[in-house]
Amino acid sequence: PKEPSGSLSSDSIKIKKEVANAFVKRKKRASPYEWYFEYYKSPMEQMHERCENYPPCDYLSDQIGFSLAYNRFFG
């Protein structure tokens, strides 16, 4: 039903929960390993973040590569 202003009312755009669940699925974790890696970062990822948070290292990693830049500043 349309309102006098010409827009649809909020009641006309609501759908039932069962219908919504048919096309909106929640992603489920396949294994405990996926759960673990979702919450804990690998040492390499921690190194990347450390370099990205230090502007000289971040700039140099774009020029000569991550491993050389990281070793220069933190190695």
Side-chain angles (χ1 to χ4, degrees):
K2 289 194 173 188
E3 293 181 356
S5 65
S7 63
L8 296 173
S9 67
S10 62
D11 293 333
S12 66
I13 58 173
K14 291 182 182 176
I15 58 176
K16 294 181 181 178
K17 184 178 179 181
E18 295 79 23
V19 175
N21 287 337
F23 62 89
V24 178
K25 297 288 183 186
R26 191 176 137 224
K27 182 182 174 189
K28 295 181 180 177
R29 292 183 193 91
S31 69
Y33 297 105
E34 289 181 22
W35 177 85
Y36 176 83
F37 287 118
E38 188 174 312
Y39 291 101
Y40 299 100
K41 296 177 183 170
S42 69
M44 183 59 85
E45 188 174 354
Q46 291 174 357
M47 291 167 58
H48 273 279
E49 287 183 356
R50 185 176 182 194
C51 187
E52 288 173 356
N53 290 333
Y54 185 59
C57 182
D58 189 34
Y59 176 77
L60 193 60
S61 70
D62 291 338
Q63 307 300 317
I64 63 172
F66 167 74
S67 60
L68 293 173
Y70 186 86
N71 286 334
R72 174 177 266 178
F73 291 102
F74 304 109

